[in-house]
Amino acid sequence: MTNFPNLIDGEWTMGTQSVPNVNPSDTNDVIGHAASATTEEVEQAIEAAAAAQVGWGKSTPQQRFDVLDAIGTEILARKEELGDLLAREEGKTLPEGIGEVARAGQIFKFFAGEALRIPGERLDSVRPGVEVDIRREALGVIGIITPWNFPIAIPAWKSAPALCYGNAVVMKAAEAVPGSAWALADIIHRSGLPKGVFNLVNGKGSKIGPVMIDHQKVAGISFTGSVQTGQQVAQGCAKNLKKVQLEMGGKNPMVVLDDADLDVAVDACVNGAFFSTGQRCTASSRLIVTEGIYDAFVAAMSKTVSALTVGDARKAGTQIGPVIDQRQLEKDLEYVQIAQQEGATLVCGGEKIEGSGHFMSPALFIDTANHMRINQEEVFGPVATIIKAKDYDEALKLANDTEFGLSAGICTTSLKYATDFKANAKAGMVMVNLPTAGVDYHVPFGGTKGSSYGSREQGRYAAEFYSTVKTSYMQA
Ligand code: ADP
Protein backbone atom coordinates (compact mmCIF):
# COMPACT_ATOMS: atom_id res chain seq x y z
CA MET A 1 0.00 0.00 0.00
CA THR A 2 1.22 3.47 -0.86
CA ASN A 3 0.68 6.93 0.51
CA PHE A 4 -0.21 9.70 -1.91
CA PRO A 5 0.85 12.87 -0.09
CA ASN A 6 0.58 16.54 -0.97
CA LEU A 7 3.61 18.27 -2.45
CA ILE A 8 3.96 21.74 -0.90
CA ASP A 9 7.04 23.89 -1.46
CA GLY A 10 9.13 20.86 -2.41
CA GLU A 11 8.10 18.83 0.67
CA TRP A 12 5.87 15.78 0.74
CA THR A 13 3.25 15.93 3.48
CA MET A 14 0.51 13.49 4.43
CA GLY A 15 -1.16 15.84 6.92
CA THR A 16 -3.60 14.43 9.44
CA GLN A 17 -6.47 13.25 7.23
CA SER A 18 -6.36 10.65 4.47
CA VAL A 19 -8.77 9.03 2.03
CA PRO A 20 -8.53 5.47 0.64
CA ASN A 21 -7.89 5.02 -3.09
CA VAL A 22 -10.04 2.06 -4.19
CA ASN A 23 -9.75 -0.05 -7.34
CA PRO A 24 -13.12 0.14 -9.19
CA SER A 25 -12.51 -3.32 -10.73
CA ASP A 26 -12.23 -4.82 -7.24
CA THR A 27 -13.35 -2.70 -4.32
CA ASN A 28 -11.50 -5.00 -1.89
CA ASP A 29 -8.26 -3.73 -3.40
CA VAL A 30 -7.22 -0.55 -1.58
CA ILE A 31 -4.35 0.89 -3.62
CA GLY A 32 -3.27 3.42 -1.03
CA HIS A 33 -4.29 6.46 0.95
CA ALA A 34 -4.33 10.03 -0.28
CA ALA A 35 -3.72 13.11 1.82
CA SER A 36 -6.57 15.55 2.23
CA ALA A 37 -5.23 19.09 2.32
CA THR A 38 -6.47 21.66 4.83
CA THR A 39 -7.24 25.26 3.86
CA GLU A 40 -3.93 26.30 5.48
CA GLU A 41 -2.02 23.75 3.40
CA VAL A 42 -3.62 25.00 0.17
CA GLU A 43 -2.68 28.55 1.16
CA GLN A 44 0.89 27.45 1.89
CA ALA A 45 1.08 25.82 -1.54
CA ILE A 46 -0.15 29.03 -3.20
CA GLU A 47 2.32 31.20 -1.26
CA ALA A 48 5.17 28.82 -2.16
CA ALA A 49 4.14 28.88 -5.81
CA ALA A 50 3.96 32.68 -5.85
CA ALA A 51 7.44 32.98 -4.32
CA ALA A 52 8.97 30.39 -6.66
CA GLN A 53 7.32 31.79 -9.78
CA VAL A 54 9.42 34.94 -9.63
CA GLY A 55 12.57 32.95 -10.43
CA TRP A 56 10.94 30.45 -12.79
CA GLY A 57 9.38 33.28 -14.77
CA LYS A 58 12.94 34.46 -15.51
CA SER A 59 14.28 31.00 -16.45
CA THR A 60 15.84 30.57 -19.87
CA PRO A 61 14.26 28.59 -22.70
CA GLN A 62 17.03 26.00 -22.22
CA GLN A 63 16.21 25.54 -18.50
CA ARG A 64 12.53 25.07 -19.33
CA PHE A 65 13.34 22.68 -22.16
CA ASP A 66 15.59 20.58 -19.93
CA VAL A 67 12.98 20.23 -17.17
CA LEU A 68 10.03 19.48 -19.49
CA ASP A 69 12.09 17.09 -21.61
CA ALA A 70 13.32 15.20 -18.52
CA ILE A 71 9.72 14.83 -17.27
CA GLY A 72 8.59 13.55 -20.68
CA THR A 73 11.48 11.08 -20.88
CA GLU A 74 10.76 9.55 -17.48
CA ILE A 75 7.01 9.28 -18.11
CA LEU A 76 7.61 7.53 -21.44
CA ALA A 77 10.19 5.17 -19.93
CA ARG A 78 7.72 4.12 -17.20
CA LYS A 79 4.56 3.99 -19.31
CA GLU A 80 3.79 0.31 -18.58
CA GLU A 81 4.14 0.68 -14.80
CA LEU A 82 2.24 3.99 -14.66
CA GLY A 83 -0.36 2.68 -17.11
CA ASP A 84 -0.98 -0.22 -14.73
CA LEU A 85 -1.47 2.15 -11.78
CA LEU A 86 -3.82 4.26 -13.89
CA ALA A 87 -5.89 1.26 -15.02
CA ARG A 88 -5.99 0.03 -11.42
CA GLU A 89 -7.33 3.27 -9.94
CA GLU A 90 -9.46 4.58 -12.84
CA GLY A 91 -10.69 1.40 -14.51
CA LYS A 92 -9.83 1.99 -18.16
CA THR A 93 -8.24 -1.04 -19.80
CA LEU A 94 -4.49 -1.59 -19.48
CA PRO A 95 -3.75 -0.75 -23.17
CA GLU A 96 -5.80 2.45 -22.78
CA GLY A 97 -3.98 3.26 -19.53
CA ILE A 98 -0.55 2.74 -21.11
CA GLY A 99 -1.63 4.80 -24.12
CA GLU A 100 -2.74 7.63 -21.88
CA VAL A 101 0.58 7.66 -20.02
CA ALA A 102 2.47 7.73 -23.32
CA ARG A 103 0.36 10.67 -24.38
CA ALA A 104 1.26 12.51 -21.15
CA GLY A 105 4.96 11.95 -21.92
CA GLN A 106 4.54 13.22 -25.47
CA ILE A 107 2.77 16.33 -24.20
CA PHE A 108 5.78 17.21 -22.02
CA LYS A 109 8.11 16.60 -25.00
CA PHE A 110 5.95 18.88 -27.16
CA PHE A 111 6.03 21.71 -24.62
CA ALA A 112 9.78 21.21 -24.09
CA GLY A 113 10.11 22.17 -27.75
CA GLU A 114 7.62 25.02 -27.41
CA ALA A 115 9.75 26.53 -24.61
CA LEU A 116 12.49 27.08 -27.20
CA ARG A 117 10.24 28.97 -29.59
CA ILE A 118 7.94 31.20 -27.53
CA PRO A 119 7.08 33.73 -30.21
CA GLY A 120 7.15 37.50 -30.08
CA GLU A 121 6.78 40.33 -32.59
CA ARG A 122 8.61 43.53 -33.35
CA LEU A 123 6.87 46.32 -35.20
CA ASP A 124 7.75 49.88 -36.10
CA SER A 125 5.65 52.39 -34.23
CA VAL A 126 3.44 54.83 -36.10
CA ARG A 127 5.61 57.49 -34.40
CA PRO A 128 9.03 58.12 -35.96
CA GLY A 129 12.03 56.69 -34.09
CA VAL A 130 9.88 54.51 -31.83
CA GLU A 131 9.86 50.74 -31.95
CA VAL A 132 7.33 48.35 -30.48
CA ASP A 133 7.84 44.80 -29.30
CA ILE A 134 5.21 42.34 -28.20
CA ARG A 135 6.20 39.48 -25.93
CA ARG A 136 4.48 36.67 -24.09
CA GLU A 137 4.98 36.57 -20.32
CA ALA A 138 3.92 34.16 -17.61
CA LEU A 139 0.59 34.78 -15.93
CA GLY A 140 1.88 33.92 -12.43
CA VAL A 141 0.39 31.12 -10.30
CA ILE A 142 -2.02 28.81 -12.13
CA GLY A 143 -4.59 26.72 -10.24
CA ILE A 144 -5.22 23.45 -12.04
CA ILE A 145 -8.34 21.40 -11.23
CA THR A 146 -8.67 18.03 -12.97
CA PRO A 147 -11.27 15.24 -13.26
CA TRP A 148 -10.85 11.50 -12.76
CA ASN A 149 -11.38 10.21 -16.30
CA PHE A 150 -7.91 11.07 -17.66
CA PRO A 151 -5.86 10.92 -14.45
CA ILE A 152 -2.48 11.68 -16.04
CA ALA A 153 -3.19 13.14 -19.50
CA ILE A 154 -5.28 16.08 -18.27
CA PRO A 155 -2.85 17.01 -15.44
CA ALA A 156 -0.09 16.79 -18.10
CA TRP A 157 -1.85 18.91 -20.70
CA LYS A 158 -2.46 21.64 -18.12
CA SER A 159 0.82 21.58 -16.17
CA ALA A 160 3.20 21.22 -19.16
CA PRO A 161 2.10 24.47 -20.87
CA ALA A 162 1.83 26.22 -17.48
CA LEU A 163 5.52 25.47 -16.78
CA CYS A 164 6.56 26.06 -20.41
CA TYR A 165 5.39 29.69 -20.28
CA GLY A 166 7.05 30.35 -16.91
CA ASN A 167 4.14 29.92 -14.49
CA ALA A 168 4.05 28.14 -11.14
CA VAL A 169 1.35 25.56 -10.45
CA VAL A 170 -0.94 24.46 -7.65
CA MET A 171 -2.72 21.37 -8.88
CA LYS A 172 -5.77 19.68 -7.35
CA ALA A 173 -6.47 16.29 -8.90
CA ALA A 174 -9.76 14.41 -8.61
CA GLU A 175 -10.31 12.51 -5.37
CA ALA A 176 -10.83 9.16 -7.16
CA VAL A 177 -7.40 9.09 -8.82
CA PRO A 178 -4.70 10.40 -6.46
CA GLY A 179 -2.13 7.80 -7.55
CA SER A 180 -1.53 9.06 -11.07
CA ALA A 181 -1.38 12.69 -9.89
CA TRP A 182 1.14 11.72 -7.21
CA ALA A 183 3.27 9.78 -9.75
CA LEU A 184 3.30 12.80 -12.06
CA ALA A 185 4.12 15.18 -9.19
CA ASP A 186 6.96 12.87 -8.09
CA ILE A 187 8.46 12.91 -11.60
CA ILE A 188 8.12 16.70 -11.84
CA HIS A 189 9.63 17.07 -8.34
CA ARG A 190 12.79 15.16 -9.40
CA SER A 191 13.13 16.84 -12.81
CA GLY A 192 15.33 19.74 -11.75
CA LEU A 193 12.43 22.19 -11.44
CA PRO A 194 13.10 24.63 -8.55
CA LYS A 195 11.15 23.76 -5.41
CA GLY A 196 7.77 25.41 -4.99
CA VAL A 197 7.17 25.86 -8.73
CA PHE A 198 4.91 22.81 -8.86
CA ASN A 199 2.64 21.92 -5.92
CA LEU A 200 0.03 19.20 -5.51
CA VAL A 201 -2.86 19.38 -3.07
CA ASN A 202 -5.26 16.47 -2.72
CA GLY A 203 -8.75 16.57 -1.30
CA LYS A 204 -12.33 17.63 -1.84
CA GLY A 205 -12.96 20.03 -4.70
CA SER A 206 -15.71 21.90 -2.89
CA LYS A 207 -13.21 22.73 -0.12
CA ILE A 208 -9.95 23.28 -2.04
CA GLY A 209 -11.46 24.84 -5.20
CA PRO A 210 -12.83 27.97 -3.49
CA VAL A 211 -9.52 28.57 -1.65
CA MET A 212 -7.71 28.58 -4.99
CA ILE A 213 -10.36 30.65 -6.72
CA ASP A 214 -10.52 33.31 -3.99
CA HIS A 215 -6.78 33.59 -3.34
CA GLN A 216 -5.34 36.86 -4.53
CA LYS A 217 -2.05 35.24 -5.60
CA VAL A 218 -3.66 32.80 -8.06
CA ALA A 219 -3.77 34.46 -11.48
CA GLY A 220 -5.82 31.90 -13.38
CA ILE A 221 -7.71 28.62 -13.09
CA SER A 222 -7.75 25.85 -15.67
CA PHE A 223 -10.60 23.45 -14.93
CA THR A 224 -11.90 20.23 -16.48
CA GLY A 225 -14.99 18.62 -15.00
CA SER A 226 -18.75 18.84 -14.93
CA VAL A 227 -20.83 21.74 -16.26
CA GLN A 228 -22.29 22.46 -12.84
CA THR A 229 -18.90 22.77 -11.14
CA GLY A 230 -17.46 24.62 -14.14
CA GLN A 231 -20.14 27.29 -13.76
CA GLN A 232 -19.25 27.75 -10.08
CA VAL A 233 -15.56 28.00 -10.96
CA ALA A 234 -16.27 30.58 -13.68
CA GLN A 235 -18.50 32.64 -11.38
CA GLY A 236 -15.83 32.65 -8.67
CA CYS A 237 -13.14 33.64 -11.16
CA ALA A 238 -15.30 36.42 -12.61
CA LYS A 239 -15.92 37.82 -9.13
CA ASN A 240 -12.17 37.84 -8.49
CA LEU A 241 -11.34 39.05 -12.04
CA LYS A 242 -9.27 35.92 -12.64
CA LYS A 243 -8.49 34.33 -15.98
CA VAL A 244 -10.39 31.05 -16.40
CA GLN A 245 -10.51 28.16 -18.84
CA LEU A 246 -13.17 25.44 -18.61
CA GLU A 247 -13.55 22.08 -20.37
CA MET A 248 -16.83 20.42 -19.49
CA GLY A 249 -19.37 18.04 -20.93
CA GLY A 250 -20.44 16.75 -24.30
CA LYS A 251 -23.35 15.00 -25.96
CA ASN A 252 -21.40 14.23 -29.05
CA PRO A 253 -23.19 13.17 -32.23
CA MET A 254 -21.86 10.62 -34.70
CA VAL A 255 -23.72 10.79 -38.02
CA VAL A 256 -23.77 7.64 -40.14
CA LEU A 257 -24.90 8.22 -43.73
CA ASP A 258 -26.29 5.70 -46.23
CA ASP A 259 -23.03 5.75 -48.18
CA ALA A 260 -20.83 4.98 -45.15
CA ASP A 261 -18.58 1.94 -45.06
CA LEU A 262 -20.52 -0.13 -42.50
CA ASP A 263 -17.42 -1.69 -40.88
CA VAL A 264 -15.73 1.69 -40.51
CA ALA A 265 -18.92 3.16 -39.01
CA VAL A 266 -19.44 0.35 -36.50
CA ASP A 267 -15.78 0.46 -35.43
CA ALA A 268 -15.91 4.24 -34.96
CA CYS A 269 -19.21 4.11 -33.06
CA VAL A 270 -18.25 1.23 -30.75
CA ASN A 271 -14.92 2.82 -29.96
CA GLY A 272 -16.36 6.34 -29.59
CA ALA A 273 -19.35 5.32 -27.49
CA PHE A 274 -18.02 2.56 -25.25
CA PHE A 275 -14.23 2.52 -24.95
CA SER A 276 -12.98 3.90 -21.63
CA THR A 277 -16.42 2.72 -20.42
CA GLY A 278 -17.98 5.72 -22.19
CA GLN A 279 -16.38 7.95 -19.56
CA ARG A 280 -14.95 10.51 -21.97
CA CYS A 281 -16.32 13.99 -22.55
CA THR A 282 -15.74 13.29 -26.27
CA ALA A 283 -17.71 10.00 -26.22
CA SER A 284 -20.21 9.47 -29.07
CA SER A 285 -23.44 9.23 -27.14
CA ARG A 286 -25.88 10.03 -29.99
CA LEU A 287 -25.57 7.90 -33.14
CA ILE A 288 -27.61 9.61 -35.86
CA VAL A 289 -28.23 7.19 -38.72
CA THR A 290 -29.95 7.76 -42.08
CA GLU A 291 -32.76 5.50 -43.25
CA GLY A 292 -30.98 3.53 -45.99
CA ILE A 293 -28.31 2.07 -43.70
CA TYR A 294 -30.36 2.08 -40.48
CA ASP A 295 -31.39 -1.61 -40.29
CA ALA A 296 -27.96 -2.94 -41.25
CA PHE A 297 -26.27 -0.55 -38.80
CA VAL A 298 -28.53 -1.45 -35.87
CA ALA A 299 -27.99 -5.18 -36.52
CA ALA A 300 -24.19 -4.83 -36.76
CA MET A 301 -23.95 -2.55 -33.71
CA SER A 302 -26.11 -4.79 -31.58
CA LYS A 303 -23.99 -7.85 -32.51
CA THR A 304 -20.70 -6.07 -31.76
CA VAL A 305 -21.80 -4.29 -28.58
CA SER A 306 -23.34 -7.38 -26.99
CA ALA A 307 -20.10 -9.30 -27.67
CA LEU A 308 -17.86 -6.78 -25.88
CA THR A 309 -15.93 -8.26 -22.97
CA VAL A 310 -16.60 -6.39 -19.73
CA GLY A 311 -14.22 -7.10 -16.86
CA ASP A 312 -11.26 -6.23 -14.70
CA ALA A 313 -9.45 -3.32 -16.33
CA ARG A 314 -6.06 -4.99 -16.04
CA LYS A 315 -7.08 -8.46 -17.28
CA ALA A 316 -5.93 -9.37 -20.80
CA GLY A 317 -8.86 -9.42 -23.20
CA THR A 318 -11.02 -6.93 -21.30
CA GLN A 319 -12.52 -4.37 -23.68
CA ILE A 320 -14.71 -2.44 -21.24
CA GLY A 321 -13.58 -1.84 -17.67
CA PRO A 322 -15.67 -0.82 -14.68
CA VAL A 323 -17.50 2.43 -14.06
CA ILE A 324 -15.48 4.71 -11.75
CA ASP A 325 -17.57 4.31 -8.58
CA GLN A 326 -20.90 3.30 -7.08
CA ARG A 327 -22.43 6.76 -7.47
CA GLN A 328 -21.65 6.89 -11.20
CA LEU A 329 -22.91 3.31 -11.68
CA GLU A 330 -26.22 4.26 -10.06
CA LYS A 331 -26.44 7.32 -12.31
CA ASP A 332 -25.79 5.23 -15.45
CA LEU A 333 -28.44 2.68 -14.45
CA GLU A 334 -30.89 5.46 -13.67
CA TYR A 335 -30.44 6.85 -17.20
CA VAL A 336 -31.16 3.38 -18.62
CA GLN A 337 -34.49 3.54 -16.77
CA ILE A 338 -35.17 7.11 -17.82
CA ALA A 339 -34.62 6.22 -21.50
CA GLN A 340 -37.06 3.32 -21.23
CA GLN A 341 -39.64 5.50 -19.48
CA GLU A 342 -39.29 7.98 -22.33
CA GLY A 343 -40.14 5.21 -24.83
CA ALA A 344 -36.70 4.13 -26.04
CA THR A 345 -36.10 0.43 -26.78
CA LEU A 346 -33.08 -1.21 -25.15
CA VAL A 347 -31.33 -3.35 -27.78
CA CYS A 348 -28.69 -4.78 -25.47
CA GLY A 349 -26.87 -4.28 -22.16
CA GLY A 350 -27.77 -1.72 -19.53
CA GLU A 351 -27.51 -4.18 -16.65
CA LYS A 352 -25.43 -4.18 -13.51
CA ILE A 353 -22.98 -7.08 -13.53
CA GLU A 354 -22.62 -8.61 -10.09
CA GLY A 355 -19.09 -8.93 -8.75
CA SER A 356 -16.50 -7.13 -6.71
CA GLY A 357 -16.34 -4.08 -9.01
CA HIS A 358 -18.68 -1.44 -10.48
CA PHE A 359 -19.51 -3.24 -13.71
CA MET A 360 -22.30 -2.64 -16.18
CA SER A 361 -22.97 -4.11 -19.63
CA PRO A 362 -22.79 -1.47 -22.40
CA ALA A 363 -26.27 -0.21 -23.24
CA LEU A 364 -27.54 0.55 -26.75
CA PHE A 365 -30.95 2.14 -27.39
CA ILE A 366 -33.07 2.55 -30.54
CA ASP A 367 -36.42 4.33 -31.05
CA THR A 368 -35.11 7.49 -29.50
CA ALA A 369 -35.92 11.09 -30.37
CA ASN A 370 -33.40 13.87 -30.00
CA HIS A 371 -35.49 15.86 -27.51
CA MET A 372 -35.52 13.02 -24.96
CA ARG A 373 -33.46 13.49 -21.81
CA ILE A 374 -31.30 10.50 -22.80
CA ASN A 375 -30.27 12.51 -25.88
CA GLN A 376 -29.85 15.88 -24.19
CA GLU A 377 -28.15 15.12 -20.86
CA GLU A 378 -24.63 13.78 -20.49
CA VAL A 379 -24.62 10.32 -18.88
CA PHE A 380 -20.84 9.78 -18.77
CA GLY A 381 -21.11 6.00 -18.92
CA PRO A 382 -21.40 3.07 -21.35
CA VAL A 383 -24.73 4.20 -22.79
CA ALA A 384 -25.43 5.19 -26.43
CA THR A 385 -28.57 5.84 -28.41
CA ILE A 386 -29.47 5.57 -32.08
CA ILE A 387 -31.61 8.27 -33.69
CA LYS A 388 -33.07 7.72 -37.17
CA ALA A 389 -32.77 10.59 -39.67
CA LYS A 390 -34.36 10.99 -43.11
CA ASP A 391 -31.29 12.32 -44.87
CA TYR A 392 -28.06 14.28 -44.38
CA ASP A 393 -29.79 17.61 -43.83
CA GLU A 394 -31.95 16.25 -41.04
CA ALA A 395 -28.96 14.41 -39.52
CA LEU A 396 -26.92 17.62 -39.42
CA LYS A 397 -29.80 19.49 -37.80
CA LEU A 398 -30.17 16.82 -35.12
CA ALA A 399 -26.40 16.70 -34.57
CA ASN A 400 -26.38 20.43 -33.81
CA ASP A 401 -29.55 20.38 -31.69
CA THR A 402 -27.79 20.20 -28.32
CA GLU A 403 -26.51 22.63 -25.72
CA PHE A 404 -23.05 21.06 -26.05
CA GLY A 405 -20.48 21.42 -28.82
CA LEU A 406 -17.33 19.48 -28.03
CA SER A 407 -16.83 16.87 -30.76
CA ALA A 408 -18.96 15.78 -33.74
CA GLY A 409 -18.35 12.95 -36.20
CA ILE A 410 -19.60 11.70 -39.54
CA CYS A 411 -19.12 8.39 -41.35
CA THR A 412 -19.49 8.83 -45.10
CA THR A 413 -17.68 8.11 -48.36
CA SER A 414 -19.03 11.34 -49.86
CA LEU A 415 -16.58 14.22 -50.12
CA LYS A 416 -19.51 16.59 -50.46
CA TYR A 417 -21.13 15.61 -47.16
CA ALA A 418 -17.81 15.30 -45.32
CA THR A 419 -16.84 18.81 -46.44
CA ASP A 420 -20.23 20.25 -45.55
CA PHE A 421 -20.19 18.59 -42.12
CA LYS A 422 -16.72 19.94 -41.33
CA ALA A 423 -18.02 23.42 -42.17
CA ASN A 424 -21.41 23.26 -40.46
CA ALA A 425 -21.14 20.97 -37.43
CA LYS A 426 -21.33 23.23 -34.36
CA ALA A 427 -18.45 21.70 -32.42
CA GLY A 428 -14.86 22.49 -31.55
CA MET A 429 -13.62 19.22 -33.05
CA VAL A 430 -14.95 17.38 -36.11
CA MET A 431 -14.10 13.81 -37.11
CA VAL A 432 -14.67 12.18 -40.51
CA ASN A 433 -14.68 8.36 -40.49
CA LEU A 434 -13.03 8.46 -37.05
CA PRO A 435 -14.42 8.15 -33.50
CA THR A 436 -15.47 11.41 -31.83
CA ALA A 437 -13.03 10.56 -29.03
CA GLY A 438 -9.30 10.05 -29.44
CA VAL A 439 -7.41 13.21 -30.33
CA ASP A 440 -3.82 14.20 -31.07
CA TYR A 441 -1.65 15.85 -28.43
CA HIS A 442 -0.13 18.62 -30.55
CA VAL A 443 -3.28 20.40 -31.79
CA PRO A 444 -6.02 22.36 -29.99
CA PHE A 445 -8.62 20.57 -27.92
CA GLY A 446 -11.90 22.15 -26.90
CA GLY A 447 -15.47 22.88 -27.78
CA THR A 448 -18.14 25.47 -28.45
CA LYS A 449 -21.46 26.28 -26.72
CA GLY A 450 -21.87 24.69 -23.26
CA SER A 451 -18.83 22.41 -23.58
CA SER A 452 -16.01 24.87 -23.11
CA TYR A 453 -15.34 28.39 -21.92
CA GLY A 454 -12.24 30.46 -22.47
CA SER A 455 -9.38 29.78 -24.81
CA ARG A 456 -8.37 26.40 -26.22
CA GLU A 457 -6.13 23.86 -24.54
CA GLN A 458 -3.18 22.00 -26.06
CA GLY A 459 -0.87 22.57 -28.98
CA ARG A 460 0.43 26.07 -29.67
CA TYR A 461 -3.02 27.46 -28.82
CA ALA A 462 -2.37 26.71 -25.12
CA ALA A 463 -0.24 29.87 -25.06
CA GLU A 464 -3.44 31.96 -25.09
CA PHE A 465 -4.37 30.88 -21.60
CA TYR A 466 -0.99 30.26 -19.98
CA SER A 467 0.62 33.54 -20.96
CA THR A 468 -0.20 37.20 -21.11
CA VAL A 469 0.94 39.71 -23.70
CA LYS A 470 3.16 42.70 -22.99
CA THR A 471 3.55 45.52 -25.52
CA SER A 472 6.68 47.66 -25.02
CA TYR A 473 7.48 50.97 -26.78
CA MET A 474 11.01 52.30 -26.99
CA GLN A 475 12.62 55.42 -28.36
CA ALA A 476 16.38 54.95 -28.67
P1 ADP B 1 -17.13 14.82 -11.86
O1 ADP B 1 -18.60 14.71 -11.76
O2 ADP B 1 -16.55 14.35 -13.14
O3 ADP B 1 -16.38 14.34 -10.66
P2 ADP B 1 -16.67 17.52 -10.96
O4 ADP B 1 -16.90 18.77 -11.72
O5 ADP B 1 -17.43 17.27 -9.73
O6 ADP B 1 -16.86 16.38 -12.01
O7 ADP B 1 -15.13 17.38 -10.59
C1 ADP B 1 -14.06 17.84 -11.40
C2 ADP B 1 -12.98 18.42 -10.51
O8 ADP B 1 -13.52 19.58 -9.88
C3 ADP B 1 -12.55 17.49 -9.38
O9 ADP B 1 -11.16 17.65 -9.14
C4 ADP B 1 -13.35 18.00 -8.20
O10 ADP B 1 -12.76 17.71 -6.97
C5 ADP B 1 -13.34 19.49 -8.47
N1 ADP B 1 -14.42 20.24 -7.79
C6 ADP B 1 -15.56 19.78 -7.26
N2 ADP B 1 -16.28 20.78 -6.70
C7 ADP B 1 -15.57 21.91 -6.89
C8 ADP B 1 -15.77 23.30 -6.57
N3 ADP B 1 -16.86 23.72 -5.93
N4 ADP B 1 -14.81 24.17 -6.94
C9 ADP B 1 -13.72 23.78 -7.59
N5 ADP B 1 -13.46 22.50 -7.93
C10 ADP B 1 -14.37 21.58 -7.59
Side-chain angles (χ1 to χ4, degrees), residues 72-216:
T73 300
E74 181 169 344
I75 294 173
L76 287 169
R78 293 174 57 198
K79 68 177 191 230
E80 259 98 28
E81 170 213 340
L82 298 178
D84 184 73
L85 171 63
L86 198 164
R88 189 174 167 202
E89 71 174 353
E90 197 273 348
K92 64 182 65 174
T93 63
L94 191 53
E96 287 174 321
I98 294 169
E100 184 184 331
V101 173
R103 181 197 171 107
Q106 286 156 340
I107 290 167
F108 276 96
K109 293 279 182 184
F110 174 85
F111 282 105
E114 286 301 280
L116 295 173
R117 47 180 175 256
I118 296 174
E121 274 186 87
R122 201 208 136 271
L123 299 173
D124 285 334
S125 165
V126 292
R127 285 169 278 170
V130 175
E131 62 180 49
V132 183
D133 70 66
I134 303 156
R135 294 161 62 97
R136 289 206 172 265
E137 283 189 349
L139 217 54
V141 176
I142 307 283
I144 292 177
I145 302 176
T146 58
W148 49 261
N149 65 331
F150 285 91
I152 196 161
I154 296 180
W157 83 50
K158 293 183 189 297
S159 50
L163 298 175
C164 169
Y165 296 105
N167 302 285
V169 169
V170 177
M171 183 167 93
K172 195 217 87 67
E175 295 94 304
V177 288
S180 299
W182 162 78
L184 177 64
D186 172 50
I187 293 171
I188 295 175
H189 177 58
R190 291 183 289 96
S191 66
L193 188 72
K195 82 180 176 77
V197 177
F198 182 91
N199 302 270
L200 174 71
V201 285
N202 295 294
K204 271 187 95 62
S206 53
K207 184 170 147 197
I208 294 178
V211 181
M212 285 163 60
I213 292 162
D214 290 334
H215 201 291
Q216 189 217 335

